[in-house]
């Protein structure tokens, strides 16, 4: 039996996973949040909130594109998820 969770919960999980990907690629390049913030032209606090999935539960496409450029990666990388990651959204074990 598949557990259903509401749309808002799915969004929260999605934003956390996007944030985790940003953190991963930032750290892989040995960048601090401050250094990425300078590259993207946002505050360090904004990068921190995005990485925690707490950026008002709303990240604009423009900001995601800027972050991807700042990290030197294609934007789609931040939005692609493995089957295992997708199962988390639905509460599957």
């Amino acid at each position: 039996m598949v557990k259903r969770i509401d749309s808002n919960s799915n969004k929260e999980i999605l934003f956390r996973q996007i944030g985790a990907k940003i953190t991963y690629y930032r750290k892989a390049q040995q960048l601090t949040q401050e250094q990425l913030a300078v590259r993207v032209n946002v505050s360090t606090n904004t990068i921190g909130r995005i990485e925690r999935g707490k950026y008002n539960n709303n990240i604009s496409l423009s900001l995601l594109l800027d972050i991807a450029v700042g990290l030197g990666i294609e934007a789609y990388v931040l939005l692609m998820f493995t089957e295992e990651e997708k199962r988390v959204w639905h509460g599957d074990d």
Side-chain angles (χ1 to χ4, degrees):
M1 179 177 197
V2 175
K3 290 191 308 189
R4 300 255 180 224
I5 55 178
D6 65 65
S7 175
N8 287 335
S9 293
N10 281 338
K11 288 178 187 176
E12 289 174 16
I13 293 166
L14 178 64
F15 288 125
R16 282 196 309 266
Q17 288 182 327
I18 290 170
K21 285 180 179 270
I22 292 168
T23 302
Y24 171 82
Y25 286 104
R26 176 180 60 77
K27 288 182 176 183
Q29 295 179 39
Q30 299 179 341
L31 293 172
T32 65
Q33 287 182 339
E34 182 177 7
Q35 290 168 320
L36 179 58
V38 168
R39 288 183 181 190
V40 179
N41 199 30
V42 297
S43 72
T44 303
N45 185 40
T46 295
I47 294 296
R49 289 191 342 252
I50 291 169
E51 288 186 354
R52 291 188 307 277
K54 300 295 183 186
Y55 188 67
N56 298 328
N57 289 331
N58 186 16
I59 303 170
S60 72
L61 179 57
S62 178
L63 183 52
L64 276 179
L65 292 171
D66 289 344
I67 290 170
V69 168
L71 292 170
I73 61 173
E74 297 291 332
Y76 74 87
V77 172
L78 299 175
L79 300 171
M80 288 185 56
F81 301 98
T82 65
E83 288 305 313
E84 182 177 331
E85 289 169 323
K86 290 176 187 178
R87 281 193 295 272
V88 170
W89 303 346
H90 301 290
D92 298 350
D93 292 329

